Amino acid sequence: MSPSIFHRAVQRAAAHAPWSAAARRDTLLLAAGVPLSAPVLILLGLPRLWFVLVAFLPCLDLLSVAQRSRLRALRGLLIPSRAPRNAGWWGKVRAGLTWRQFLYHLVVAPLQTLGALLVLAGWGIGLVMATVLGWIWLMPAGAPLQSRPGWAVADGWTTLGGAALLFLTPWLAALLSRFEEWAAGSLLGLNRAELLQRRVEDLAESRAGVVDAADAERRRIERDLHDGAQQRLVSLAMNLGLARRTLKDVPAEAMRVIVEAHEEAQAAIDELRDLVRGLHPVVLEDRGLDAALSGIAARCPVPVRLDIDLSDDIAPTVEAVAYFTVSEALTNAAKHSRASRVELSIRQRDGRLHIQIHDDGIGGADAARGTGLTGLRKRAASVDGTLAVTSPHGGPTTITAELPCEL
Amino acid sequence: MRAVIAEDSVLLRVGLVKVLEAVGHEVVAAVGDAEELLAAVAEHQPQVVVVDVRMPPGFTDEGVRAALVIRRQWPEVAVLLLSQFVEERYASDLLSANTSGVGYLLKQRVANVDDFVEALQRVAEGGTALDPEVVSQLLIRRDTDPLRRLTPRERDVLALMAEGRSNAAIAQTLVVSDSAVAKHINAIFAKLDLPSADVTHRRVLAVLHFLGVA
């Protein structure tokens, strides 16, 4: 035996000594489990009382809650609850009624309780046995226990046995509490499929949060530009226009500069307006999707036929995605398709938004190549929507998108 | 001409006052919200008011609602609405009663002082001034069959007519002769089955009526 192995064995033994913190913690955990499953144990022991178990069924979930709380408080073990977060009472009870819960509460926990009683007995009996010599020695001289022949030897063995029991009990407690942690974790917690489902729910929630936050940020920037820079630019252009109109006796050279500055300012306003619109159009916020869509349709150089039928319970982020999808599709149609007409249809059906943009152009749009279309597809995917493009060479092109109305 | 200005952005309000005064109008009041606007109109009885659509406290369509009140209570006061964006429903609300002395322009149009002053003048004189973007939205919404019978040129002319422009102005914008414009207009009236009229805003009224606004 190498010194290091010996050293480690000593360390492990010390860690499980009767006075160690681990021994105290394990015993506490097991003892706390006794009142939770002792009633079950008694019920199981009674003959012909199985019908009581039926009344006991709805309590299973409460018991699970208590057991989880015990493990969290005494072990820091977080066992996720199986019930969906917003499930009502019945949903919670139903989630509790699985064979794994039954197995835990009706088999594992009672066995565990027996083990716990064994551990407690080990401590008690061990303590009494280990101190038996002391008790006898404390007795007044001539007491009957002391008069037995060879008592010192027999009771010496008893004391040794008690000490051994005291040293063995922590190991049993450690073993049982390990088993407890494992059993509770795998029977009261979630199985793999449930874990994955919970993870998907968490991810969907956090993604919705991120998408919303990005959208809110865009809106804030838009608002700042609109109320700040744009107003200033308009004011500047107005002043330049005024100067251009009222200053009569300035040199031609100076007037040319003023005129140029005025035109520059107006161009800057137009550019800023396009930029702001690309972030998040004000009209979308103030007047909703319908109004915003007629706005882009009106600005499209290709004649657009609108067919919009919307109620108003659409998440703002989804509205933004729909808006940009239509906007980009119309821009593409105007730039590349050589179309003479565009048909735009948006309908709301079964909680989903169906968008179709159809043009009679030359086709050849490819979602795999066109960065604009790829962006649109990603944007649709960010709210769990889909986007499909059919655009054979020679046309026509149809873009269909389907978005959920609520995130 | 006596004018009242309602615009919550101080920068633009000051600018508008300067522009109006520079072209010889008298700004009797410049206010920052709809309530003050109504009070100022009641007090000063101006010929024209320039109103921002979005104003405190709600920053939604306070200006439009104030404009509707003004048109109901003081029909002789001309109203020019300025908006961050075009929204044909505002135009419909505003024009549904009467198209004389009404204007609805994008806010950025004030940057082009000459156009703005010209539109204001037209409105004050009882005419109409609609932003080209408003008109194109109206045309899109009423994309009905008779409109499809129009040639692209005729659609351009119709759009300019709906903005409230005179034949001469249309001719200048499209760089064609006055008689060509007149010919297009007659063709439009024939195709849309509208009675011809020679006062500018009645022409607009006829067009808008066809478009389903008025």
Side-chain angles (χ1 to χ4, degrees):
Chain A
M1 192 186 278
S2 76
S4 77
I5 289 174
F6 176 72
H7 188 68
R8 249 183 287 159
V10 168
Q11 268 189 339
R12 283 189 67 178
H16 289 88
W19 53 83
S20 69
R24 204 169 55 241
R25 276 204 312 267
D26 293 344
T27 308
L28 200 59
L29 176 76
L30 294 169
V34 173
L36 291 178
S37 45
V40 186
L41 199 63
I42 294 165
L43 278 179
L44 289 175
L46 293 175
R48 287 196 298 281
L49 269 182
W50 285 94
F51 68 91
V52 180
L53 283 178
V54 177
F56 172 75
L57 277 181
C59 305
L60 271 184
D61 194 54
L62 283 179
L63 273 180
S64 301
V65 171
Q67 297 279 24
R68 283 194 201 101
S69 142
R70 171 171 72 106
L71 285 152
R72 190 175 62 240
L74 299 176
R75 266 294 194 266
L77 198 66
L78 284 173
I79 301 173
S81 160
R82 195 190 304 265
R85 260 170 229 135
N86 302 320
W89 147 139
W90 176 237
K92 285 207 169 97
V93 169
R94 233 181 29 193
L97 301 183
T98 67
W99 67 269
R100 288 193 291 133
Q101 305 264 73
F102 277 102
L103 187 66
Y104 181 82
H105 291 298
L106 298 183
V107 180
V108 176
L111 285 180
Q112 197 60 33
T113 296
L114 287 179
L117 292 175
L118 218 60
V119 167
L120 291 175
W123 285 118
I125 295 169
L127 205 64
V128 170
M129 282 169 66
T131 49
V132 77
L133 268 185
W135 297 117
I136 293 173
W137 178 72
L138 275 176
M139 282 179 190
L145 276 175
Q146 291 176 359
S147 55
R148 288 173 296 140
W151 65 270
V153 176
D155 291 344
W157 282 113
T158 307
T159 303
L160 269 185
L165 198 58
L166 280 185
F167 275 89
L168 282 177
T169 303
W171 287 93
L172 179 66
L175 193 74
L176 285 172
S177 50
R178 271 318 116 67
F179 175 68
E180 164 85 68
E181 282 176 19
W182 171 80
S186 51
L187 295 177
L188 290 183
L190 304 173
N191 62 23
R192 202 176 143 70
E194 285 165 336
L195 267 177
L196 284 176
Q197 189 189 348
R198 182 62 60 87
R199 180 106 183 98
V200 167
E201 279 166 20
D202 287 348
L203 284 176
E205 201 169 292
S206 67
R207 189 196 56 182
V210 169
V211 170
D212 275 347
D215 197 48
E217 184 63 10
R218 267 201 295 273
R219 260 178 277 178
R220 189 190 62 74
I221 296 171
E222 172 270 314
R223 194 60 80 193
D224 286 355
L225 283 176
H226 222 124
D227 293 342
Q230 208 173 11
Q231 303 264 32
R232 277 169 188 281
L233 262 180
V234 170
S235 169
L236 167 71
M238 203 157 53
N239 279 320
L240 285 169
L242 203 57
R244 188 175 162 180
R245 192 186 165 98
T246 49
L247 295 180
K248 294 298 174 204
D249 49 355
V250 287
E253 186 73 4
M255 183 47 88
R256 217 190 63 229
V257 172
I258 292 175
V259 167
E260 273 173 19
H262 185 222
E263 273 153 18
E264 280 291 310
Q266 290 188 70
I269 291 170
D270 286 342
E271 267 179 40
L272 189 63
R273 187 155 183 255
D274 286 344
L275 174 71
V276 166
R277 197 183 280 138
L279 285 171
H280 191 97
V282 206
V283 59
L284 188 54
E285 189 134 321
D286 285 5
R287 305 291 299 163
L289 185 56
D290 193 342
L293 287 176
S294 33
I296 34 177
R299 282 192 300 276
C300 182
V302 183
V304 181
R305 187 187 177 80
L306 278 181
D307 177 14
I308 304 180
D309 181 16
L310 298 172
S311 54
D312 45 16
D313 51 344
I314 304 173
T317 307
V318 175
E319 283 193 329
V321 173
Y323 174 88
F324 287 112
T325 304
V326 172
S327 173
E328 179 74 25
L330 289 185
T331 309
N332 280 349
K335 267 194 203 157
H336 310 298
S337 79
R338 291 187 235 154
S340 66
R341 288 199 66 75
V342 178
E343 310 266 336
L344 168 60
S345 139
I346 300 197
R347 319 214 137 255
Q348 210 170 352
R349 237 181 292 123
D350 310 323
R352 290 182 84 78
L353 210 55
H354 299 261
I355 304 172
Q356 192 181 69
I357 306 121
H358 176 85
D359 71 54
D360 61 355
I362 54 165
D366 188 353
R369 280 187 304 122
T371 49
L373 286 172
T374 316
L376 284 186
R377 183 169 279 175
K378 280 186 188 155
R379 215 152 173 172
S382 77
V383 293
D384 267 338
T386 56
L387 182 117
V389 181
T390 50
S391 183
H393 282 281
T397 300
T398 305
I399 296 175
T400 44
E402 216 187 289
L403 309 171
C405 294
E406 291 295 321
L407 281 189
Chain B
M1 190 161 56
R2 291 148 57 77
V4 168
I5 292 170
E7 159 69 62
D8 61 299
S9 153
V10 180
L11 215 54
L12 287 184
R13 188 163 71 216
V14 172
L16 283 169
V17 172
K18 260 197 283 183
V19 167
L20 263 60
E21 283 176 346
V23 297
H25 299 321
E26 182 196 354
V27 178
V28 288
V31 299
D33 70 52
E35 269 181 42
E36 288 178 58
L37 167 66
L38 293 179
V41 172
E43 188 191 334
H44 299 290
Q45 297 290 323
Q47 278 142 302
V48 64
V49 290
V50 179
V51 188
D52 183 10
V53 166
R54 189 145 64 151
M55 278 194 294
F59 293 97
T60 53
D61 58 353
E62 285 79 2
V64 178
R65 281 185 270 139
L68 291 174
V69 171
I70 293 173
R71 290 192 62 71
R72 211 173 38 243
Q73 290 191 7
W74 301 283
E76 70 286 355
V77 177
V79 176
L80 176 61
L81 269 184
L82 295 179
S83 174
Q84 302 265 28
F85 51 81
V86 293
E87 163 60 38
E88 81 254 20
R89 254 156 292 187
Y90 291 160
S92 312
D93 288 350
L94 204 64
L95 298 166
S96 54
N98 188 352
T99 57
S100 70
V102 179
Y104 180 42
L105 294 179
L106 273 180
K107 222 178 204 180
Q108 71 191 64
R109 305 283 179 225
V110 302
N112 192 330
V113 175
D114 289 338
D115 281 2
F116 173 66
V117 166
E118 196 258 322
L120 184 69
Q121 201 76 43
R122 222 189 310 153
V123 170
E125 286 165 5
T128 314
L130 289 185
D131 200 276
E133 284 204 18
V134 180
V135 174
S136 54
Q137 285 205 20
L138 291 174
L139 287 175
I140 281 215
R141 281 289 165 151
R142 321 291 164 196
D143 189 2
T144 45
D145 282 328
L147 276 182
R148 293 196 188 190
R149 292 205 296 267
L150 300 183
T151 63
R153 195 47 147 195
E154 285 164 357
R155 284 179 71 102
D156 292 345
V157 173
L158 175 65
L160 289 167
M161 263 164 63
E163 280 171 31
R165 293 181 193 265
S166 65
N167 281 16
I170 296 174
Q172 204 183 345
T173 311
L174 296 178
V175 201
V176 293
S177 67
D178 281 11
S179 60
V181 171
K183 224 163 64 191
H184 284 312
I185 292 177
N186 283 333
I188 294 168
F189 283 152
K191 284 180 183 176
L192 301 187
D193 206 15
L194 292 169
S196 171
D198 42 30
V199 180
T200 319
H201 76 260
R202 278 180 59 198
R203 227 160 58 138
V204 176
L205 181 66
V207 173
L208 291 173
H209 190 81
F210 167 73
L211 293 175
V213 172

